[in-house]
Amino acid sequence: SWLASLWHGLLAMPILVSATVLLLPTTTAGVDGFLREGWERMPWPLEHVHYAIFGYMLKDFVLYPAGIEVGYLVHHLITIAGCTLCLHLPAGAALTTLNGAQAEVSSSLFSVRHVWPSPPTRLLYYLSMSASNALGALLALRLADIDTLPRSLTTAYAVAAASLILLRQGALLLDLADWVGGKAGGKGRGKGGAEGGEGQPLLGVDRSPLSPPVK
C-alpha cells in the first residue's frame, strides 16, 4: 500500500494535472478564471484526478479485508465524500481538484517516510505535510469567495477540508511527539493493523472493535 502511494501521488497526480494544463482552452481567462470555472469547460484529465483518488482510497479496503485502522477509515470516507462533492460543484472545479492533488502528493511523502524510514524522510514528511495542510486551508477559503457557489456547498467543503487537515496534522504531531520522546525505533502498526515499519497508525488509534484481528 505504501508503494502504491508513491505511484499514485508522485506520478499519477502530476501527470493528470499537467495534462489538464496542456489541454486548457485558449479562451480561459487567466489563472483565476481557470480556478473558478465549472466542470463544463474543464479538460477531461481533471476529473480523473478524483477518480484516481477514489480508487486509491478504496484499494485499502481490498488489501485489508479484516479492516483498517479507525483513523484511516475516517480519513478515507471523508476523502471519498469530499471528492464526490467536488465533482458536483457548479464552480471551482479546478481549485478543489488541485487542492486534492496537492494533498495526495504530500500523502505520498508520508509513505516515503514509511518505505525508507530515516530522519531526513521524517523531516520531509513533517515539512511537506504541514505546508500541504496550510495550502489546503487557504484554497478552502478561496472557494468560499466564489459568489456563484451556494453557501451550503462551500460550507460542506470547508467542513470536509478542516476534518482532513485536523486528522493529518494530528497524526503528524503524534508522530513528532513519539520521535522526540525517543520511541522512533519502535514498531508501529500499518493501515491494516499488523505490525509494520516504524511509526504509528493515523492518530495512533487502534482498529475498530468491529473488525476482526489480522491473522
Side-chain angles (χ1 to χ4, degrees), residues 118-139:
S118 68
T121 59
R122 202 162 198 160
L123 288 172
L124 177 63
Y125 156 54
Y126 293 158
L127 293 173
S128 62
M129 184 62 70
S130 296
S132 172
N133 290 337
L135 178 58
L138 290 173
L139 292 177

Side-chain angles (χ1 to χ4, degrees), residues 15-26:
I15 287 175
L16 289 171
V17 171
S18 298
T20 297
V21 173
L22 290 173
L23 294 173
L24 274 178
T26 55

Side-chain angles (χ1 to χ4, degrees), residues 134-213:
L135 178 58
L138 290 173
L139 292 177
L141 291 173
R142 181 75 177 274
L143 185 73
D145 287 336
I146 301 180
D147 51 16
T148 57
L149 282 174
R151 186 59 57 191
S152 59
L153 293 180
T154 57
T155 299
Y157 182 84
V159 169
S163 299
L164 290 174
I165 288 170
L166 288 174
L167 276 171
R168 285 152 54 99
Q169 200 66 26
L172 185 155
L173 292 174
L174 284 174
D175 192 273
L176 177 60
D178 181 63
W179 191 23
V180 172
K183 301 176 184 178
K187 287 189 176 183
R189 295 168 70 85
K191 294 182 183 179
E195 287 192 356
E198 67 169 326
Q200 296 182 351
L202 188 64
L203 292 187
V205 181
D206 266 347
R207 69 173 62 256
S208 166
L210 299 178
S211 301

Side-chain angles (χ1 to χ4, degrees), residues 70-102:
V70 173
Y72 286 108
L73 176 63
V74 173
H75 171 275
H76 288 13
L77 293 179
I78 294 175
T79 299
I80 291 170
C83 286
T84 302
L85 172 65
C86 292
L87 288 169
H88 289 83
L89 291 176
L95 190 154
T96 55
T97 304
L98 292 177
N99 202 8
Q102 67 86 15

